[in-house]
Amino acid sequence: MAGGAAPYSAVWKLYQPYCKRINFVPFVFVLLLCSASYLLGIWQHGGSSTSFSSAVLTSVSCDGKAAAGGSSLVGAASTLDFAAHHSTDESNAAASAVQEFPACDVKYSEYTPCEDRDRSVRFERDRLIYRERHCPGKGELLRCLIPAPAGYKNPFPWPASRDAAWFANVPHKELTVEKAVQNWIRVEDDKFRFPGGGTMFPNGADAYIDDIERLIPLRDGSIRTAIDTGCGVASWGAYLLSRNILTMSFAPRDSHEAQVQFALERGVPAMIGVLASNRLPYPSRAFDMAHCSRCLIPWHLFDGQYLIEVDRILRPGGYWILSGPPINWKRHWKGWERTEADLSAEQSAIEAVARSLCWKKLKEKDDIAIWQKPTNHIHCKANRRVIKSPQFCKTPNGDAAWYTKMETCITPLPEVGGIREISGGELQKWPARLMAVPPRIASGSLDGVTAEMFSRDTKLWKKRIGYYKTVINQLGQMGRYRNLLDMNANFGGFAAALIDEPVWVMNVVPTAANTNTLGVIYERGLIGTYQDWCEAMSTYPRTYDLLHADSLFSLYKNRCGMEDILLEMDRILRPEGTVILRDDVDVLVKIKSITDRMKWDSQIADHEDGPLHREKLLLVVKTYWTAPDQSQEQQN
């Protein structure tokens, strides 16, 4: 033993001077503290994800500090109720706590800030400019919560919602009177019924779509995205869903009272919008098919500018369908109360604009006419020597469409090597195009975006949706959610991962995003829009069942106030709707200090990869509350 100890004694003497200068106490203390924290984390989290109703989540007070008895990331267990309650007590018991954000006056229950009727009268009526977006200034913003009307109920689950809605949710009878003979909508007791009729399809939307299907293919997957201009209550889009065609429907506010609101209440994609002076908020080459059924848009006026805009958003080889005036005017001119000469001249003018865009008229049968856009612009550019107008845009940015003025020039398609080549790349048929690398990425036209990045993103969102379903059990329940909004959609991975669920997703690419990916989203066979979240969205209150925002507040840091974005989210979220926010934990703590004053119940949950990630989730349920029942108040 003595002989073996000698070397160690020599080593000790060698290092003894250095050791005397080092105090090991702080190192030992830190080591013990880290070990205790690690063991505590393992004990609390159990090493696996649990459902939101039983998970241990962060409890954060309004001052941004952790609740007593917990760390900044782990607090007392709490339960959020994501379930829908059709028979919720309307006494507003859920709002018993003092709220710092008051309820707005009931007159704002259908308030659409950027399409406000009182503000719109300040703008030109020519070309419907007054019906475009005109948003309130900073000093005009409401600092209150938009109430649901008295008696509001959760919408019927899909597919029942396609045919019925609660009267209390959209209390307007104007369309039932104005469009009674056209079978748009009718009232039955406390419900609206949607028979599927329309001005140009008295036998119903299904029969009308069958007529279109006899002229172009609708079931082989070549047509996936469509746009319906002047959509009414969106029955065309509603019935196309059974053919796996996803339609963006839009109409101006109050052209017919609440038509877009009815569409959204039915669980059908729709937005407030109008063809006036600005481009529609969609990228170029977005839609496989565009449709107008007596939409009252003067296609032949203003140098064909509205058809030029349709040309911009149609993909190469896409279809434009027109029914109603002036199509089949020889049969209908008396009923339309217009002269034969007037209708004949209008049709001739529309035909001339279509030819100038190099569209080919495929069919005109009975009340339906269909044109097709060319698959490339080789011949179209050659014939500009003969057809002088419109010329091709000299400085084109076809995807610029946020407050971008329409032009009377053709947005050129991407260059091709031969006449048989499809500009921009050929899209696969649905459903293969959902997971295929989009042509905009495969061609390298998006700087810094690669096919590998796209593939990783697709796999990542599949994993994340799986995790979301473990913390929000209702996300996997059929019928609980229908209208979803992804507020910072990137490649549309969130929507793609939910494709087998009975939901649709409005994919928003913020104008503040570093890369414009909305064209990629459309190439996947999904739909979406541009949006600046410092402004209100072009939709009615209570539009969406679930809002998803990935790093949105980090993106908008120093651009506008958190409160402004959160109040807009509250406006467009249904009572008992859900919000999923992903962001840095410090950002979420600040957000929670605001949402705790908004009649929202919320908790912070860990990242899907565990508690060591700074990125967390803030999971929210908007509580049920409504405006007071004025009839009962008057009786009292």
Side-chain angles (χ1 to χ4, degrees), residues 445-494:
S445 61
L446 291 182
D447 289 341
V449 178
T450 65
E452 291 73 21
M453 292 170 60
F454 172 79
S455 298
R456 285 198 304 270
D457 185 79
T458 299
K459 293 176 182 176
L460 176 63
W461 280 106
K462 185 176 180 180
K463 173 184 175 180
R464 286 178 169 178
I465 291 297
Y467 178 66
Y468 287 173
K469 289 180 179 180
T470 67
V471 293
I472 304 175
N473 290 332
Q474 285 75 9
L475 192 57
Q477 293 180 3
M478 301 286 280
R480 175 63 184 91
Y481 304 106
R482 174 61 184 170
N483 302 357
L484 276 59
L485 174 66
D486 192 358
M487 300 175 71
N488 187 16
N490 195 23
F491 302 139
F494 172 81

Side-chain angles (χ1 to χ4, degrees), residues 308-569:
I308 291 172
E309 174 63 0
V310 171
D311 180 80
R312 181 185 70 85
I313 61 175
L314 267 185
R315 71 163 172 84
Y319 302 97
W320 184 58
I321 302 170
L322 176 64
S323 66
I327 304 303
N328 205 5
W329 59 266
K330 293 179 181 178
R331 176 183 175 188
H332 296 296
W333 68 275
K334 289 183 180 179
W336 290 338
E337 298 181 350
R338 291 174 61 185
T339 67
E340 294 175 277
D342 180 32
L343 288 163
S344 178
E346 181 180 341
Q347 177 148 358
S348 296
I350 290 174
E351 302 267 12
V353 174
R355 284 194 301 272
S356 75
L357 298 172
C358 304
W359 292 3
K360 177 183 179 182
K361 189 173 185 180
L362 294 182
K363 299 284 179 67
E364 181 174 334
K365 182 174 175 54
D366 298 327
D367 297 337
I368 299 172
I370 301 179
W371 287 261
Q372 187 173 25
K373 178 178 176 176
T375 55
N376 60 63
H377 274 156
I378 289 180
H379 283 325
C380 200
K381 288 183 175 179
N383 70 22
R384 288 308 95 176
R385 303 188 193 99
V386 178
I387 302 175
K388 300 297 183 183
S389 178
Q391 291 294 313
F392 283 90
C393 301
K394 290 185 171 58
T395 56
N397 184 356
D399 290 348
W402 186 249
Y403 293 120
T404 303
K405 292 299 178 184
M406 285 190 285
E407 299 179 87
T408 53
C409 58
I410 302 173
T411 300
L413 291 171
E415 296 291 337
V416 293
I419 193 62
R420 297 186 180 278
E421 191 175 338
I422 297 174
S423 286
E426 185 174 3
L427 293 176
Q428 294 192 30
K429 292 186 176 182
W430 181 263
R433 72 168 72 170
L434 179 68
M435 297 303 177
V437 177
R440 276 174 164 89
I441 294 178
S443 65
S445 61
L446 291 182
D447 289 341
V449 178
T450 65
E452 291 73 21
M453 292 170 60
F454 172 79
S455 298
R456 285 198 304 270
D457 185 79
T458 299
K459 293 176 182 176
L460 176 63
W461 280 106
K462 185 176 180 180
K463 173 184 175 180
R464 286 178 169 178
I465 291 297
Y467 178 66
Y468 287 173
K469 289 180 179 180
T470 67
V471 293
I472 304 175
N473 290 332
Q474 285 75 9
L475 192 57
Q477 293 180 3
M478 301 286 280
R480 175 63 184 91
Y481 304 106
R482 174 61 184 170
N483 302 357
L484 276 59
L485 174 66
D486 192 358
M487 300 175 71
N488 187 16
N490 195 23
F491 302 139
F494 172 81
L498 288 167
I499 200 64
D500 293 326
E501 306 292 333
V503 302
W504 63 271
V505 180
M506 182 70 77
N507 294 280
V508 170
V509 172
T511 56
N514 294 325
T515 305
N516 182 355
T517 55
L518 193 54
V520 167
I521 288 168
Y522 274 95
E523 287 180 341
R524 300 189 74 176
L526 305 170
I527 59 171
T529 183
Y530 297 115
Q531 174 67 35
D532 180 356
W533 287 115
C534 293
E535 299 179 357
M537 192 176 182
S538 291
T539 193
Y540 282 84
R542 302 171 299 281
T543 291
Y544 292 100
D545 305 309
L546 185 147
L547 310 180
H548 178 259
D550 177 18
S551 305
L552 181 76
F553 287 87
S554 289
L555 179 65
Y556 274 88
K557 184 179 180 181
N558 301 324
R559 295 177 186 271
C560 51
M562 279 186 179
E563 286 188 4
D564 297 332
I565 298 175
L566 289 166
L567 287 171
E568 172 62 5
M569 292 171 69

Side-chain angles (χ1 to χ4, degrees), residues 53 106 138 147 241 301 309 432 523 570 611:
S53 60
V106 67
K138 186 72 174 177
L241 286 167
L301 298 183
E309 174 63 0
E523 287 180 341
D570 181 81

Side-chain angles (χ1 to χ4, degrees), residues 90 106 148-152 168-169 624 626-630:
E90 295 172 14
V106 67
Y152 178 90
N169 292 9
Y624 178 93
T626 71
D629 190 328
Q630 294 179 332

